[in-house]
Amino acid sequence: MSAIRIEVLALSCAIASVSPGPLASGAPAAAGDPAHIVIVGNDYAFIGTPESLAAGPTAFAFENRGLVRHEMSVVRLRPGVAASDVVARGPGAASSKALTDQLVGILVARPGERSGGELLVDLVAGHRYLVVCTLRDTPDAAPHIQLGMIASFDVR
């Protein structure tokens, strides 16, 4: 399976959830191959997000089981920063230099669909990553992150 490498200049939102399965541990399927993780988003949560993943090349796919459009944005948090710190700071905090070391990438999926590609990430041991969605259902609605579409995992 080929992966698409994506570089993001600005972060709009991230959601995360990993579906359980034989590859959800983050272990590569074969030597040299990246681990494959499916992040599953629902209206307004993630399903089965892992607490930790192994360091190294990891290909993330995003599946939207919700009824509205969602996105999965991934950022690497600064040491000592928790998901609750990002929520407390409000909209835009997930891309803030004060809270994040690196904007990693983003995948978007329409309701009931899977993203059209994968996000290849070289996960760094000892770091925490955040997955969020900052989309809104309407211009005056709350961002999905404020409705619970946020998760984090540690890399071992």
Side-chain angles (χ1 to χ4, degrees), residues 50-122:
E51 290 183 21
S52 67
L53 291 171
T58 305
F60 289 93
F62 176 57
E63 180 180 339
N64 181 358
R65 294 185 186 169
L67 299 175
V68 299
R69 187 172 56 106
H70 292 298
E71 59 187 16
M72 174 199 87
S73 293
V74 180
V75 299
R76 188 173 67 213
L77 295 174
R78 290 196 176 277
V81 174
S84 59
D85 298 328
V86 175
V87 173
R89 278 274 186 93
S95 62
S96 163
K97 284 186 178 183
L99 300 176
T100 63
D101 274 340
Q102 184 177 41
L103 305 177
V104 177
I106 186 169
L107 294 172
V108 181
R110 292 182 290 212
E113 293 184 4
R114 213 171 193 186
S115 58
E118 293 182 322
L119 178 63
L120 182 60
V121 181
D122 190 10

Side-chain angles (χ1 to χ4, degrees), residues 23-57:
L23 297 177
S25 68
D33 287 343
H36 289 270
I37 304 294
V38 177
I39 303 296
V40 179
N42 203 348
D43 298 334
Y44 303 95
F46 294 101
I47 304 165
T49 304
E51 290 183 21
S52 67
L53 291 171

Side-chain angles (χ1 to χ4, degrees), residues 6-12 103-106 119:
I6 301 174
E7 293 183 35
V8 175
L9 300 175
L11 177 70
S12 171
L103 305 177
V104 177
I106 186 169
L119 178 63

